[in-house]
Amino acid sequence: MRPDNWSNPCGAHRARHFRAMNAIAPALPDIAIAEMPAWLIGELRSDHAGETGAVMIYRGILAFCKDPAIREFAERHGATEQGHLDLLNALLPPEQHSRLLPIWRIAGWLTGAIPAIFGPRAVYATIDAVESFVDHHYQQQLDRLEAEALFPPLQALLRHCQEEEIHHRDEAREAGEGRAYGPLIGAWAWVVGAGSKAAVAAAKRI
């Protein structure tokens, strides 16, 4: 993003994103995957699968949505999710990636494309639901890492990702006028949240 745009809230957030990524990335080679307990490798596998799906959600939105505000929202946050995925790719070797990644890519794309057909509020409700789950998921990992005093650089990476996911959630919630969605959109948001939970459980193991 151009420096002259960093004075606005979204531009400032992007500036913080790139500064944080530049600070975290050099520490990643020092995080030895061989030293990690099995539970943590499974968690990181689920994070990698989730960020893969998140990138595809925004691509699905862009495939169908013509609204300029939604397209700008999707392009901006999609770039952030790609940054998270790049960090996880640098940390987690390919042999530890979920073998179900093709499924997560398709599922993510559909999760973005379907609400894009129905309009902005459906898109914002979808992002709200996804990011609410992701916030909780990252917090569970951070709580255990902190309790076991493991891998401070990894904690910094996960906390950085969590903070940006919260930003996505809050922006979507504000743009979607809170959670005052109709019953149909509310039901869709529940399906998205439940699907995210099931996908994480599967990605930890496969």
Side-chain angles (χ1 to χ4, degrees):
M1 193 63 186
R2 296 187 304 272
D4 60 340
N5 282 338
W6 287 0
S7 60
N8 65 53
C10 292
H13 175 76
R14 262 179 280 190
R16 289 193 298 273
H17 164 74
F18 288 116
R19 285 198 300 269
M21 286 184 67
N22 289 335
I24 291 168
L28 294 183
D30 296 328
I31 304 175
I33 196 80
E35 298 175 2
M36 292 183 183
W39 71 264
L40 181 53
I41 294 174
E43 292 288 353
L44 292 175
R45 184 182 302 117
S46 73
D47 293 341
H48 179 271
E51 296 295 352
T52 298
V55 169
M56 296 307 296
I57 286 173
Y58 288 109
R59 290 182 185 177
I61 292 169
L62 290 168
F64 284 94
C65 187
K66 305 299 182 185
D67 184 291
I70 296 291
R71 292 190 64 83
E72 191 274 339
F73 174 92
E75 289 169 354
R76 180 160 41 85
H77 291 313
T80 302
E81 301 292 6
Q82 183 63 56
H84 295 174
L85 183 57
D86 291 343
L87 288 171
L88 287 165
N89 273 322
L91 174 63
L92 196 66
E95 61 269 21
Q96 293 293 351
H97 293 178
S98 172
R99 296 194 298 275
L100 302 178
L101 279 182
I103 294 175
W104 306 143
R105 291 187 181 100
I106 294 169
W109 191 88
L110 289 172
T111 301
I114 291 171
I117 295 170
F118 291 95
R121 296 199 74 196
V123 170
Y124 290 132
T126 299
I127 300 305
D128 187 344
V130 169
E131 301 296 20
S132 294
F133 171 80
V134 172
D135 173 28
H136 179 69
H137 179 58
Y138 274 131
Q139 190 59 52
Q140 287 181 318
Q141 295 174 2
L142 286 165
D143 288 344
R144 186 164 181 180
L145 286 167
E146 290 170 0
E148 299 185 19
L150 292 174
F151 303 106
L154 178 59
Q155 292 183 42
L157 184 155
L158 296 179
R159 191 170 292 108
H160 164 67
C161 292
Q162 180 193 34
E163 289 171 354
E164 296 200 314
E165 307 294 2
I166 291 171
H167 173 76
H168 296 184
R169 180 202 65 196
D170 292 347
E171 185 177 339
R173 189 172 296 178
E174 181 178 359
E177 300 176 8
R179 289 189 167 184
Y181 303 118
L184 185 60
I185 294 179
W188 166 253
W190 182 89
V191 168
V192 168
S196 298
K197 183 176 181 179
V200 160
K204 287 180 184 180
R205 295 169 174 79
I206 306 173

